[in-house]
């Protein structure tokens, strides 16, 4: 993974390790964890793997009397690797992209069984999350190009050529598809035909998904800049960063928050004339790849140094946490076993998630702590999922 981080700005690379991807099933609130050789569905309240049930709601048991759980590992005759979060085709079906064999699987939401009508082989390997819109499934290919599949038969409708790989989920606004590539360009395509509308050179690889906000796009990249772009592909403003920016920025109450691969977090006020820096804070000893999680009080970031940091949203200073067992040097910093690469999830109370206050879900690349839930308000560790 370190070699990937060093090389993707210039040339295509082979990925030797995986990193987790997190997503949520809206109807149930269950969390889907994609990592390495399997995809599992997890209850956000408890961190337990979702149990499979029969038509009467009873938990299904295996031959040894143990509960069957929601876990997808692909066909039994071969080992698979997965990067991308599934796309939900309908309330009963997930679409999953295999990395090694380049296949798309239709998977039953209730049983985790393969339902494939036809076997569709992709033109390359996939690490970017899938984007489903209307009757098309958009998939970035890690080596180069982007393909659109017809959801009625999962066959290619069109393919668009890029100079290098697409490592992030595409974005659709109205009938236009926007995505960034490691070939330094951001593209706008007709979502139905794949015809190019415009492309813009960012002077460096762009592995993140553009953020759309009030008729503007915001994106970082390996040119050590954060950009504000128009829908027509014009650079409206830019702001220098200390190091490369991978994760998508976040906007909260008119302020853009982003982090770089040197461990620095930025707060930039959005003004008519461009960005105005409110603060920058060097908090992590290693790179911050995920997007920040922003709440009314906090900016929370996870780093390759295995730590999660709570910052004061007003000034970027670490939150003091004296007297708490989990504190690191009396600050609200929580340490995990493994490096943190994937975006974190903020889970809030809802009709389908029975929790009293928001949880922060953080995944690491260490098997004992693939997913950890923290209470946002005080950093209390609530549960850990591992294997």
């Amino acid at each position: 993974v370190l070699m990937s981080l060093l090389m993707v700005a210039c040339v295509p690379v082979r990925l030797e390790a995986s990193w987790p991807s997190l997503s949520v099933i809206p109807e149930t609130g269950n969390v889907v964890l994609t990592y390495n050789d399997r995809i599992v569905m997890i209850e956000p309240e408890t961190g337990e793997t979702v149990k499979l049930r029969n038509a009467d709601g009873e938990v299904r048991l295996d031959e040894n009397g143990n509960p069957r759980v929601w876990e997808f590992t692909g066909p039994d005759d071969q080992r698979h690797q997965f990067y991308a979060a599934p796309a939900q085709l309908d309330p009963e079906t997930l679409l999953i992209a295999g990395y090694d064999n380049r296949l798309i699987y239709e998977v039953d939401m209730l049983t985790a069984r393969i339902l494939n009508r036809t076997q569709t082989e992709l033109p390359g390997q996939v690490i970017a999350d899938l984007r489903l819109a209307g009757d098309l499934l958009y998939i970035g290919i890690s080596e180069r190009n982007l393909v659109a599949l017809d959801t009625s038969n999962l066959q290619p409708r069109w393919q668009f050529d890029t100079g290098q790989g697409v490592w992030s989920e595409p974005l659709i606004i109205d009938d236009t598809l926007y995505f960034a590539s490691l070939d330094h360009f951001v593209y706008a395509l007709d979502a139905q035909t794949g015809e190019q509308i415009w492309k813009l050179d960012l002077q460096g690889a762009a592995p993140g998904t553009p953020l759309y906000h009030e008729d503007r796009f915001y994106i970082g990249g390996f040119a050590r800049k954060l950009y504000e772009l128009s829908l027509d592909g014009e650079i409206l403003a830019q702001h220098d960063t200390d190091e490369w920016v991978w994760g998508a920025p976040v906007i909260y109450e008119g302020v853009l928050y982003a982090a770089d691969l040197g461990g620095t977090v930025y707060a930039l006020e959005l003004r008519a004339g461009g960005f105005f820096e409110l603060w920058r804070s060097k908090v992590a000893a290693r790179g911050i790849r995920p997007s920040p999680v922003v709440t009314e009080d906090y900016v929370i970031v996870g780093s390759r140094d295995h730590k999660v940091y709570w910052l004061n949203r007003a000034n970027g200073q670490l939150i003091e946490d004296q007297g708490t067992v989990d504190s690191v040097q009396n600050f609200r910093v929580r340490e995990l076993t493994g490096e943190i690469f994937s975006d974190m999830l903020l889970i809030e109370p809802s009709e389908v998630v029975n929790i009293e206050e928001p949880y922060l879900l953080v995944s690491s690349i260490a098997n004992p702590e693939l997913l950890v839930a923290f209470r946002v308000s005080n950093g209390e560790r609530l549960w850990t999922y591992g294997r």
Side-chain angles (χ1 to χ4, degrees):
V1 174
L2 177 59
M3 287 299 294
S4 298
L5 292 173
L6 293 175
M7 296 174 64
V8 292
C10 303
V11 296
V13 298
R14 173 175 173 80
L15 299 177
E16 303 295 346
S18 183
W19 56 74
S21 180
L22 298 178
S23 57
V24 174
I25 303 298
E27 293 84 356
T28 63
N30 290 329
V31 175
V32 181
L33 171 66
T34 303
Y35 183 56
N36 201 4
D37 61 349
R38 68 195 61 203
I39 300 174
V40 295
M41 195 173 294
I42 297 170
E43 297 177 353
E45 298 93 342
T46 64
E48 296 180 355
T49 309
V50 171
K51 297 178 177 61
L52 301 182
R53 300 178 183 272
N54 59 26
D56 296 324
E58 300 169 333
V59 175
R60 297 171 53 196
L61 304 177
D62 62 20
E63 58 275 10
N64 298 318
N66 299 313
R68 294 185 181 274
V69 296
W70 206 105
E71 182 176 87
F72 178 78
T73 56
D76 295 335
D77 58 345
Q78 52 188 304
R79 184 183 183 276
H80 297 282
Q81 189 175 14
F82 303 98
Y83 280 87
Q88 188 173 351
L89 179 62
D90 55 49
E92 299 176 351
T93 312
L94 294 177
L95 299 177
I96 293 174
Y99 176 78
D100 291 320
N101 61 13
R102 308 181 181 188
L103 296 179
I104 287 287
Y105 299 102
E106 296 174 88
V107 176
D108 185 89
M109 183 83 75
L110 295 178
T111 65
R113 292 178 178 173
I114 297 175
L115 302 173
N116 274 41
R117 297 163 287 173
T118 58
Q119 192 171 72
T120 301
E121 185 172 356
L122 297 169
Q125 295 166 319
V126 177
I127 64 174
D129 288 349
L130 315 181
R131 170 67 71 175
L132 183 64
D135 62 348
L136 288 177
L137 177 69
Y138 303 95
I139 306 174
I141 305 301
S142 64
E143 297 92 346
R144 63 180 62 227
N145 302 341
L146 184 141
V147 63
L149 304 185
D150 189 320
T151 57
S152 67
N153 55 21
L154 294 183
Q155 296 304 305
R157 176 88 63 87
W158 53 258
Q159 179 173 298
F160 182 82
D161 295 338
T162 61
Q164 292 186 28
V166 179
W167 281 26
S168 60
E169 181 180 5
L171 178 67
I172 289 188
I173 306 297
D174 296 327
D175 296 321
T176 304
L177 180 79
Y178 303 90
F179 68 96
S181 170
L182 300 187
D183 66 6
H184 299 195
F185 287 96
V186 174
Y187 295 89
L189 311 181
D190 183 293
Q192 288 298 311
T193 67
E195 181 180 356
Q196 180 177 301
I197 300 172
W198 56 258
K199 71 175 183 178
L200 176 66
D201 190 350
L202 297 183
Q203 305 301 315
T209 298
L211 169 69
Y212 176 69
H213 178 76
E214 295 183 354
D215 294 330
R216 298 285 191 273
F217 289 113
Y218 299 88
I219 189 170
F222 290 178
R224 295 183 174 89
K225 294 182 184 295
L226 288 161
Y227 294 99
E228 179 184 61
L229 311 178
S230 73
L231 296 184
D232 297 323
E234 177 186 359
I235 296 177
L236 302 176
Q238 60 187 40
H239 190 83
D240 292 339
T241 59
D242 295 335
E243 292 295 342
W244 297 345
V245 177
W246 186 321
V250 175
I251 292 177
Y252 189 96
E253 294 184 348
V255 177
L256 180 144
Y257 300 90
D260 69 24
L261 294 183
T264 299
V265 185
Y266 304 83
L268 309 178
E269 186 177 8
L270 304 180
R271 295 184 177 180
F275 299 112
F276 177 79
E277 185 172 297
L278 298 176
W279 52 260
R280 69 171 63 192
S281 183
K282 176 70 167 68
V283 296
R286 303 184 71 186
I288 300 172
R289 184 266 187 215
S291 299
V293 169
V294 184
T295 70
E296 182 178 358
D297 299 314
Y298 309 120
V299 177
I300 309 173
V301 294
S303 169
R304 290 190 59 214
D305 64 9
H306 304 201
K307 296 181 178 67
V308 184
Y309 298 86
W310 271 254
L311 309 182
N312 186 317
R313 188 168 72 89
N315 56 25
Q317 299 300 306
L318 286 171
I319 298 294
E320 293 186 4
D321 206 25
Q322 297 180 0
T324 303
V325 174
D326 293 331
S327 297
V328 176
Q329 297 180 344
N330 292 327
F331 291 110
R332 191 174 302 166
V333 178
R334 302 296 183 256
E335 189 163 9
L336 277 68
T337 305
E339 300 180 26
I340 300 166
F341 276 97
S342 58
D343 283 340
M344 303 177 292
L345 285 181
L346 181 66
I347 303 295
E348 303 195 67
S350 68
E351 293 181 357
V352 294
V353 180
N354 185 25
I355 56 178
E356 295 182 354
E357 58 180 289
Y359 288 4
L360 178 74
L361 301 190
V362 182
S363 61
S364 82
I365 62 173
N367 283 337
E369 293 183 331
L370 289 177
L371 191 60
V372 180
F374 296 97
R375 198 183 305 276
V376 171
S377 62
N378 60 11
E380 176 189 358
R381 183 183 286 236
L382 297 165
W383 52 258
T384 300
Y385 170 84
R387 71 171 200 262

